[in-house]
Amino acid sequence: MTTTTIVREFEADLVVTDSHVVADDVVALTLATPDGSALPPWTPGAHVDLVLGDDLVRQYSLCSSPGDRSAWRLGILRTPDSRGGSKAVHSDLHNGATVRVRGPRNHFPLVAAGRYLFIAGGIGITPMLPMIAEADAAGADWHLLYGGRTRASMAFVDELAPYGDRITLVPQDESGMLDLDATLREPREGTLVYACGPTGLLDAVEQRCATWPSGSLHLERFTAKEAAVQSAGNTEFEVMLQRSGLTLTVPSDKSVFEVCKAAGVSVVGSCLEGVCGTCETEVVDGDVDHRDSILNDEEREANEYMMICVSRCRSARLTLDL
């Protein structure tokens, strides 16, 4: 008889022990448990959910040291087109405030390598900080290309200064755009590229890394790729839930997540755009139409997991471990 163990994600109210501005429109938050107990372990590239209100959940990268389990640090940009998340952080999460936190979760892990090229745009620097520290501690050869609108808008520059010429800062108003052609023109065997930032930057990096060896490029997106959120051509299919013993119909205008939730199945979601990975679910059987912005080509080919908020089924039936 097979026993299935369900591992529940950490979720708790944490206290803001420090909140201060680190760049134009960027605040650094330090979060800790009210009783000072240790937080769960995490690895570079991980993020957490901040539950900022009813139906207002946002994901932010951890940018402190994984070795320090007494607190978590986040760097959060207040965006001009905020849908409420960053605005709530900047206006409400002052010192002493509490916030519901879920995670950590990592879909952007640092793979061991001898050489790295880190590319950050704006607030995309946050997941890079612990990655750089780990790469440096491991003795890897690495370089960071960090761009921003202005020098004053670029967070954590002082923290990066001790790394010297391994850091290239490119404020747009002083030096123009990042020179990705020069940086990525020639594929480099044994070098991994890690990039995080605005959609335009990541699309440009992805395009220029098309000729690099498979597995060289690792991206983390803030918003879903345009191609990933398509709905044209959706067809109805059945989803069998192996643990729940249910068979449900997913119509063309509903997601697997929506159908499961409506049926009373315990599913957890956050962005509902295939970006955060909260709803990742194990696939038992079926040909998944992957539409997320998280899994790489090898992971999609393996067909072991799917993001049920956006991905669908190419066949008539899908079986999930739910």
Side-chain angles (χ1 to χ4, degrees):
M1 180 177 178
T2 301
T3 301
T4 301
T5 300
I6 300 174
V7 179
R8 295 199 177 277
E9 192 172 59
F10 171 82
E11 183 171 348
D13 291 326
L14 300 185
V15 178
V16 178
T17 59
D18 183 64
S19 172
H20 67 279
V21 174
V22 290
D24 289 349
D25 294 321
V26 179
V27 65
L29 294 183
T30 301
L31 306 173
T33 58
D35 62 0
S37 57
L39 290 162
W42 59 280
T43 53
H47 68 264
V48 294
D49 294 341
L50 296 190
V51 183
L52 301 166
D54 294 338
D55 299 319
L56 184 59
V57 181
R58 296 292 183 266
Q59 294 75 44
Y60 299 105
S61 296
L62 292 167
C63 61
S64 45
S65 168
D68 180 6
R69 294 180 57 188
S70 66
W72 286 340
R73 185 181 65 171
L74 311 173
I76 301 172
L77 170 69
R78 178 167 183 163
T79 58
D81 57 348
S82 172
R83 294 175 297 162
S86 66
K87 181 179 178 181
V89 169
H90 280 248
S91 62
D92 300 338
L93 295 189
H94 46 78
N95 288 352
T98 61
V99 61
R100 193 74 173 172
V101 182
R102 292 197 302 244
R105 200 175 302 118
N106 198 344
H107 291 280
F108 192 43
L110 186 68
V111 177
R115 290 191 300 276
Y116 298 96
L117 174 59
F118 299 106
I119 301 174
I123 199 62
I125 190 61
T126 50
M128 302 296 178
L129 296 176
M131 287 186 177
I132 287 169
E134 180 164 304
D136 197 64
D141 180 12
W142 62 270
H143 191 87
L144 168 68
L145 189 62
Y146 178 15
R149 291 179 291 103
T150 65
R151 193 174 295 271
S153 74
M154 299 169 71
F156 306 111
V157 169
D158 291 346
E159 193 168 312
L160 293 167
Y163 292 117
D165 60 7
R166 287 194 170 193
I167 309 294
T168 299
L169 300 180
V170 187
Q172 187 176 340
D173 64 335
E174 298 175 24
S175 309
M177 305 291 283
L178 297 177
D179 190 352
L180 298 179
D181 288 328
T183 304
L184 301 171
R185 182 185 300 115
E186 295 296 330
R188 305 178 208 171
E189 193 71 37
T191 298
L192 298 186
V193 178
Y194 277 79
C196 184
T199 298
L201 170 65
L202 299 189
D203 288 346
V205 170
E206 192 170 36
Q207 181 184 36
R208 287 161 177 79
C209 285
T211 59
W212 282 56
S214 176
S216 296
L217 179 60
H218 301 259
L219 301 176
E220 181 168 62
R221 295 182 178 273
F222 299 141
T223 57
K225 293 176 67 174
E226 185 176 348
V229 295
Q230 61 182 326
S231 59
N234 284 356
T235 57
E236 181 178 289
F237 61 92
E238 283 189 344
V239 59
M240 297 179 64
L241 309 183
Q242 185 168 263
R243 281 191 277 129
S244 302
L246 298 175
T247 298
L248 307 173
T249 298
V250 181
S252 61
D253 61 343
K254 298 288 185 182
S255 68
V256 176
F257 179 88
E258 290 172 312
V259 169
C260 289
K261 191 167 185 178
V265 178
S266 178
V267 289
V268 180
S270 180
C271 73
L272 304 184
E273 295 179 347
V275 175
C276 73
T278 305
C279 69
E280 183 177 59
T281 301
E282 184 176 348
V283 177
V284 177
D285 188 49
D287 184 9
V288 178
D289 177 7
H290 293 285
R291 300 185 183 183
D292 64 273
S293 299
I294 299 173
L295 301 178
N296 60 34
D297 291 342
E298 290 79 8
E299 290 167 332
R300 293 182 178 199
E301 183 67 25
N303 205 53
E304 295 177 348
Y305 297 91
M306 70 179 288
M307 307 305 152
I308 61 173
C309 66
V310 291
S311 295
R312 302 184 66 80
C313 183
R314 300 182 193 277
S315 53
R317 179 171 291 184
L318 181 67
T319 305
L320 300 176
D321 183 30
L322 283 172

